[in-house]
Amino acid sequence: MQITDIRETAIPLNSNLRNAVFDFSQMTTSIVAVITDVIRDGKPVVGYAFNSTGRYACGAQMRSRFIPRIIDADPDSLIDEARDNFNPEAILAAMMQGEKPGGHSDRSVGIGTIEVAVWDAIAKIEEKPAYQAIADRYNPGGAKPDMFVYVGGGWYAPGKGIPELLDEMRGYLDMGYTQLKMKVGGAPISEDIERLEAVLNLVGNDGWNLAVDANCGLTPDEARAYAGALAPYKLRWYEEPTDPLDYALMTELAETYEPPLATGENLFSQQDMRNLITFGGMRPNHDVLQIDPPQSYGVVAVARTIEMLHGTGWAVGSSVMPHGGNQMSLHIAAGLGMLLCESYPNTFGMFSGFADDAEIIDGYLKLDPDRPGIGFESQADLYEVMSELSSN
Ligand code: MG
């Protein structure tokens, strides 16, 4: 049993949407194919992944460091003999050879994307969905294949006013979602509050059905001003007010802003998450911790982070969610029993959303127990590009 080749390519997201900090017109992502010599249904098993959204393609690092370290390793050293499958922990360790501690985002996205593609292959070899393969190893009996999903939306876009914002948000409710999130911080605060009140009205004036995301775009004074303005609405959460490493300001906000805060998608390691819960004022099982698995070294590393959180009183089912609305985050959330999962319907072209036939009912999505792997095969446009990468 052997990984015979790992290929990657960069694909543009082709989006003009904007958050508080930047637009996505230049954004790219890396698609990865991990090709094995294991045969299922008469063909070699191939695992796929992409590096989520919001961080650029990172093919140069993969080609120069991470891919050769796996291909050049003794194949037997990468096998889990007991399960007759690849060993994701050994493959992660192989990619980490020669890497200096710290500076995690220098490598965590490239390593994590390859690692998640390995999990797609592992689950296909076991002929089970990825969430089940993940739960079997890290969360036995605790998978949540009936997963609550909310929409990360409410984007800014050229020429988009409140009527267009409401059209966007109404579209999500019509799809079956019940909880929405909208961007703030990309307009003057008075305008953002007008936008917020319009959307709140749409979701039934219940703050629990609406979260906001400032994408780290606010100055400390603006973050305090938004906290003051948002507090009366008792929103589901107030996400990333400011720089992801400004733990002092997060502590200050947590002392004055009573409803939940959320952050973590721009931290990439267990140590960073430990610093956040130790020094960032985060309130266990009240605030929300966000992790983007393909950008944070992948599934094994996220499972280890969750184990660390358990030891400090944080429950994964009430306070941890993945960043990124895609099949990968969905399976990882379901496998590790996270609180909920994000969704980006129609936002980033073929990288948007879940299986083409996914149905959202009262905010819940049932994962198909009979579809092996992460299930990119059920996203026709994306799978066409992925399978092209692994053909010939
Ligand atoms: Mg966010």
Side-chain angles (χ1 to χ4, degrees):
M1 180 179 295
Q2 183 169 356
I3 291 171
T4 55
D5 197 6
I6 302 176
R7 300 177 189 169
E8 59 71 37
T9 189
I11 309 276
L13 288 187
N14 286 330
S15 171
N16 64 355
L17 297 174
R18 185 172 63 82
N19 61 33
V21 182
F22 65 93
D23 71 47
F24 287 82
S25 59
Q26 304 299 312
M27 182 59 66
T28 54
T29 187
S30 289
I31 287 184
V32 168
V34 171
I35 302 169
T36 78
D37 64 356
V38 181
I39 303 296
R40 291 285 180 276
D41 294 331
K43 290 180 297 199
V45 169
V46 182
Y48 300 102
F50 64 94
N51 74 249
S52 192
T53 43
R55 299 275 155 192
Y56 292 89
C58 49
Q61 300 166 323
M62 295 188 200
R63 288 190 301 273
S64 65
R65 286 144 66 198
F66 315 134
I67 293 173
R69 286 175 195 156
I70 293 174
I71 300 298
D72 295 344
D74 171 3
D76 291 343
S77 71
L78 306 180
I79 301 302
D80 176 347
E81 279 185 32
R83 293 181 187 271
D84 193 23
N85 207 328
F86 294 103
N87 180 341
E89 300 185 4
I91 291 170
L92 174 62
M95 287 191 279
M96 286 296 285
Q97 283 169 27
E99 293 292 319
K100 189 177 180 182
H104 294 282
S105 60
D106 169 49
R107 57 176 167 267
S108 65
V109 183
I111 289 178
T113 307
I114 294 170
E115 200 265 14
V116 170
V118 166
W119 277 95
D120 187 31
I122 286 172
K124 285 171 175 167
I125 290 167
E126 292 177 2
E127 298 179 304
K128 57 175 75 154
Y131 75 80
Q132 193 59 56
I134 292 167
D136 288 349
R137 289 159 175 84
Y138 297 111
N139 187 26
K144 285 167 70 174
D146 205 1
M147 178 51 64
F148 185 78
V149 286
Y150 81 96
V151 179
W155 302 87
Y156 300 102
K160 184 173 178 179
I162 286 181
E164 292 80 12
L165 171 67
L166 291 179
D167 285 346
E168 179 200 347
M169 300 305 241
R170 198 177 292 114
Y172 302 140
L173 297 177
D174 289 345
M175 289 176 199
Y177 295 96
T178 60
Q179 188 181 309
L180 308 177
K181 184 172 80 180
M182 60 186 289
K183 299 300 181 189
V184 294
I189 190 165
S190 57
E191 195 181 311
D192 269 341
I193 293 298
E194 264 182 68
R195 294 169 66 248
L196 175 89
E197 289 194 343
V199 176
L200 260 180
N201 199 25
L202 188 70
V203 297
N205 282 311
D206 182 354
W208 196 252
N209 290 332
L210 184 64
V212 293
D213 186 358
N215 290 92
C216 309
L218 306 176
T219 65
D221 281 344
E222 288 169 342
R224 294 181 188 102
Y226 270 86
L230 295 172
Y233 299 103
K234 298 194 183 333
L235 299 175
R236 181 63 187 85
W237 66 75
Y238 170 23
E239 178 172 328
E240 290 205 306
T242 192
D243 189 281
L245 297 177
D246 193 345
Y247 300 141
L249 182 59
M250 286 305 285
T251 302
E252 183 192 321
L253 292 175
E255 282 166 1
T256 54
Y257 181 79
E258 201 284 324
L261 294 162
T263 188
E265 72 178 68
N266 290 303
L267 305 178
F268 304 101
S269 69
Q270 185 188 124
Q271 186 57 54
D272 282 325
M273 196 54 78
R274 186 187 288 277
N275 282 343
L276 173 67
I277 60 164
T278 307
F279 304 113
M282 295 283 98
R283 298 158 290 186
N285 309 319
H286 176 75
D287 293 322
V288 182
L289 304 177
Q290 304 167 292
I291 307 175
D292 192 317
Q295 296 184 0
S296 306
Y297 293 112
V299 177
V300 168
V302 172
R304 288 173 180 163
T305 296
I306 285 172
E307 198 183 332
M308 178 275 291
L309 290 169
H310 281 160
T312 59
W314 286 79
V316 63
S318 60
S319 46
V320 181
M321 56 171 271
H323 166 256
N326 52 59
Q327 284 285 110
M328 301 176 292
S329 58
L330 180 66
H331 275 263
I332 294 165
L336 296 176
M338 291 183 183
L339 169 66
L340 41 67
C341 185
E342 189 164 19
S343 175
Y344 300 138
N346 312 325
T347 302
F348 297 112
M350 64 181 161
F351 297 102
S352 303
F354 306 120
D356 295 336
D357 58 359
E359 247 193 307
I360 313 297
I361 298 172
D362 288 335
Y364 283 83
L365 192 166
K366 223 184 244 316
L367 281 84
D368 187 340
D370 299 321
R371 213 167 251 166
I374 289 170
F376 292 117
E377 289 76 0
S378 62
Q379 292 183 277
D381 293 348
L382 180 55
Y383 185 63
E384 192 180 321
V385 178
M386 286 178 156
S387 55
E388 202 173 300
L389 183 62
S390 58
S391 65
N392 66 60

